[in-house]
Amino acid sequence: MNNDWQRDSTNHHQKPHIVFYFSDTGGGHRSAAEAIIEALHLKYGESFTAQMVDFFKDYAPPPFSKMSDLYPEMVKAPRLWQASFYATNGRGRARVITASLWPIAREPARNLVRDHPADLIVTVHPIANTFALKALGANRPPFYTVVTDMVTTHALWFDARSDRIFVPTESARQRALEAQMQAEEVDVVGLAVADQYCMPAGNKDELRRKLGWPLEKHIALLVGGGEGMGPLARTARAIDESGLDLGLVVICGRNEKLKTALESQTWENPVFIYGFRRDMPDLMRASDVIVTKAGPGTIAEALNANLPIILYSKVPGQEDGNVTFVESEGVGVWAPKSQLVVRALTRWICRPQEHAKIVENTRRIARPSAARRIAQVLGERLGLEQKAVV
Ligand code: UDP
């Protein structure tokens, strides 16, 4: 008899099906899953099917089902969020948490795996791992984890029952090994980003023309993750009032309130205010510097777009290590106050050699092909045929 998760093995016409467990808590989990699916299609064409399931929204009981709305609010209490991140971090503690939540997670987790039969499961969110593995039981499809935090990776990412874990950095690999993952099951590949970052950047002026941005000014790109988090408005104002001659691009993501507020203001410089954009690779490659919350997805993309990074805020806990990473690799600075952001911008505009050195450092550590490498492993596991090259 088939298990709940199993597909009808008598139907030989079915293509192998990959299910991704993700959630829109921030924008990074979605971006990583989309990047891997894109890379799979580029390599294996239509020889498989893929589906992304938002397990919080579609399966978790309230209030967890509202997690994508609650997340930006929850991290506004930074000390509490940080304290709970560290208080729950650690193998034993993670086990206690998942065990104590299991009575309420059991049924939703079982529904999740039953509703989405798969030939291979990929999780890109730390909360999904243990609950899904428990619900699947021993006789299950291959189960892979793609870590989307860069350095400070929570213990919930690492469940030794996972068949393989892809991590972005060596420090994340160490955490996986501490969590009893076998060394051969942990791959350091970088953070999965859109395939466009593997392509030549093209001409910056042309990109700017297409976007309607000035050609002759420095452009600072401001991003607060998928949700437009952190003091974006205050930072944008401080830059605009600093006397610097530049263009400002502010990405508000899904934060409609912020977008409306910024649009109602008057600005000294050319300022471009956007909501959620699907063309982040173009926006990054048309800019000269990024001012961002320390989100791992945005940092990885900025490195691949060779953009020096100014970090104006972070989600305490999971983003703490990203700050150290950016500074120690010489690709940017931590500037948690508006005047520090302005100071860093001024320095890089006035000292082009310093800016160029940082661009050089981004080239050294960029890993644009993470999604391609993950796709290859998934494709090989499923025995997918590579697309014919025309
Ligand atoms: N993003 C996007 N469009 C937007 C704003 C953000 O596609 O308008 C993407 C961004 O490129 C990145 C992700 O959302 O891939 C944000 O991920 P990150 O890890 O930086 O922060 P999070 O939002 O998860 O806290």
Side-chain angles (χ1 to χ4, degrees), residues 25-29 31 71 148 223-227 229 251-253 275-278 280 284 293-299 301 315 319:
T25 46
H29 307 292
S31 294
Y71 176 69
T148 64
V223 190
E227 314 294 339
M229 289 195 278
I251 312 287
C252 303
F276 196 89
R277 297 284 295 210
R278 306 287 314 173
M280 288 302 282
M284 290 217 183
K293 171 181 91 72
T298 308
I299 292 173
E301 290 161 3
V315 174
E319 291 182 355

Side-chain angles (χ1 to χ4, degrees), residues 82-327:
Q82 186 171 37
S84 50
F85 179 91
Y86 287 111
T88 56
N89 201 0
R91 225 172 122 230
R93 280 173 263 177
R95 218 180 293 137
V96 170
I97 292 165
T98 45
S100 48
L101 285 175
W102 183 236
I104 56 165
R106 183 193 292 119
E107 201 188 326
R110 287 189 177 153
N111 292 341
L112 167 72
V113 303
R114 188 202 53 225
D115 291 352
H116 302 284
D119 296 298
L120 194 151
I121 293 171
V122 182
T123 61
V124 292
H125 198 293
I127 308 290
N129 297 316
T130 296
F131 295 128
L133 280 161
K134 271 167 100 83
L136 286 160
N139 186 14
R140 56 162 173 78
F143 189 99
Y144 289 3
T145 304
V146 176
V147 174
T148 64
D149 282 320
M150 217 165 231
V151 181
T152 331
T153 42
H154 196 281
L156 286 170
W157 275 114
F158 307 113
D159 188 309
R161 285 168 291 184
S162 187
D163 297 308
R164 199 143 172 176
I165 301 207
F166 299 95
V167 292
T169 59
E170 184 50 39
S171 354
R173 190 178 89 93
Q174 287 308 324
R175 295 275 296 152
L177 298 181
E178 283 159 27
Q180 313 287 300
M181 288 296 300
Q182 299 299 311
E184 63 277 12
E185 292 168 352
V186 185
D187 297 299
V188 185
V189 293
L191 212 127
V193 293
D195 200 74
Q196 211 178 326
Y197 291 105
C198 292
M199 307 294 177
N203 184 298
K204 199 178 242 188
D205 283 358
E206 250 167 52
L207 276 176
R208 286 194 183 180
R209 259 187 226 105
K210 193 174 89 183
L211 293 161
W213 296 358
L215 303 186
E216 71 291 354
K217 288 182 191 294
H218 273 82
I219 298 272
L221 178 68
L222 271 73
V223 190
E227 314 294 339
M229 289 195 278
L232 253 186
R234 190 176 355 125
T235 310
R237 275 247 73 83
I239 300 171
D240 187 55
E241 288 167 2
S242 66
L244 285 170
D245 177 25
L246 41 61
L248 262 184
V249 178
V250 190
I251 312 287
C252 303
R254 284 185 280 265
N255 190 338
E256 284 295 325
K257 221 165 107 189
L258 173 69
K259 181 166 177 277
T260 311
L262 292 179
E263 280 170 344
S264 68
Q265 300 182 15
T266 49
W267 302 88
E268 304 277 328
N269 291 284
V271 175
F272 302 83
I273 297 156
Y274 302 126
F276 196 89
R277 297 284 295 210
R278 306 287 314 173
D279 54 350
M280 288 302 282
D282 280 352
L283 302 185
M284 290 217 183
R285 286 164 148 190
S287 303
D288 297 302
V289 56
I290 188 166
V291 182
T292 176
K293 171 181 91 72
T298 308
I299 292 173
E301 290 161 3
L303 294 176
N304 289 310
N306 305 133
L307 273 186
I309 301 167
I310 299 174
L311 299 173
Y312 74 86
S313 82
K314 62 175 180 180
V315 174
Q318 77 257 33
E319 291 182 355
D320 287 346
N322 302 351
V323 174
T324 325
F325 175 79
V326 163
E327 290 205 308

